[in-house]
Amino acid sequence: MELPNRWLNDIVWDDHGLVPVIAQDAATGDVLMFAFMNREALALTAERGEAVYWSRSRRKLWHKGEESGHTQKVLEIRTDCDNDVVLLKIEQTGGIACHTGRKSCFFQRLGESGQWEAADPVLKDPKEIYG
Amino acid sequence: MELPNRWLNDIVWDDHGLVPVIAQDAATGDVLMFAFMNREALALTAERGEAVYWSRSRRKLWHKGEESGHTQKVLEIRTDCDNDVVLLKIEQTGGIACHTGRKSCFFQRLGESGQWEAADPVLKDPKEIYG
C-alpha cells in the first residue's frame, strides 16, 4: 500500500532516531519479541506488510526472517498515547519468533524460588533454523 | 514473598540503569502499557506483587495507580532471551491502564488512509480519574 508519510512524523523518535517496537501474535495475543525501528524500518514495514527492524548491534536494517525464514506478516500497526512506542500485530511464519527456536523471546519466567525458569519449549533446534 | 535478589543480577540494565517493561493483561492478552523500571522498582514489583515503575520524566519511583487507583496486580514476571526486557502479566484494576481513560495505551491504529486513528473507546473521563 502507498501511504503518505505524515504518520511517521507523528512518531516520537529517541535520541538515536529509534522507537521501541513490541511484536504481538495477532491470533493468540502472545508477546513474541521486542526490538527497535528507525524511520526507514517503520516505513518499509508498512510498505511491505512485513516487519523490518533496525539491528542496534549490527547497525543495519534487519528484515526479520531474512536468515531463519521466520518472517512476520504485519496485520496492524499501533502506537501508544505518547507516540513513542510501536505495537505490531503479526502473523509469525513458522510459529517461531525467538532465535532460541521458541515461539516467543519471553520464555523465561520468574519462579517461586526466585530464579528464572525456561517456561516454554524449544520448537526447533536453532542449528536447523540457521544451518 | 521474600526472594533472593540473584535474579535481579541476571537482568541487563541499560546505560541509565533501566530496563524496558511491557505490561500485558493476563486474561485477555492485551498489551496495556510500556514503561521502565530500575533495579529498585523491579525488586519492589516482585516483593509487593504490584507494578512499580521508574518515571523518567519525574525521576522517581512510580507506583502505578498511586493517583488513579488503577494499580496493576502482577501475576507473572518474564524476561526475554537477552535478559534486557521485562514482560509483566497483570490484572489491571479498573480495567484502565492509560491516562486517557482507555483500557490500553496502544489505542492508536494506523488506518488505510495513512493516519493514526483512535481505535479504542475512552472508558472513563480522565478528569474523573485524576480529579
Side-chain angles (χ1 to χ4, degrees), chain A residues 24 29 77-78 80 83 108, chain B residues 24 29 80 83 106 108 110:
Chain A
Q24 180 182 33
I77 300 178
R78 290 193 173 225
D80 71 340
N83 291 0
Q108 299 182 98
Chain B
Q24 180 181 33
D80 72 340
N83 291 0
F106 293 92
Q108 300 183 96
L110 184 60

Side-chain angles (χ1 to χ4, degrees), chain A residues 34-95:
Chain A
F34 174 88
F36 288 85
M37 290 186 183
N38 62 6
R39 186 182 168 103
E40 188 183 359
L42 184 51
L44 285 169
T45 295
E47 198 182 304
R48 298 184 184 173
E50 281 198 355
V52 178
Y53 299 99
W54 174 257
S55 168
R56 294 185 303 170
S57 55
R58 290 178 289 158
R59 301 192 58 75
K60 62 173 197 169
L61 290 172
W62 162 38
H63 179 200
K64 169 73 181 168
E66 60 195 7
E67 283 186 61
S68 62
H70 296 152
T71 53
Q72 298 179 331
K73 184 177 174 187
V74 175
L75 305 186
E76 203 175 292
I77 300 178
R78 290 193 173 225
T79 191
D80 71 340
C81 47
D82 296 323
N83 291 0
D84 61 0
V85 187
V86 167
L87 173 67
L88 302 179
K89 303 218 178 185
I90 66 162
E91 269 179 36
Q92 178 61 60
T93 305

Side-chain angles (χ1 to χ4, degrees), chain B residues 43-63:
Chain B
L44 285 170
T45 295
E47 198 180 303
R48 298 184 184 174
E50 282 198 353
V52 177
Y53 299 99
W54 174 256
S55 169
R56 294 185 302 168
S57 54
R58 291 178 288 158
R59 301 191 59 75
K60 62 172 197 170
L61 289 172
W62 162 37
H63 178 201

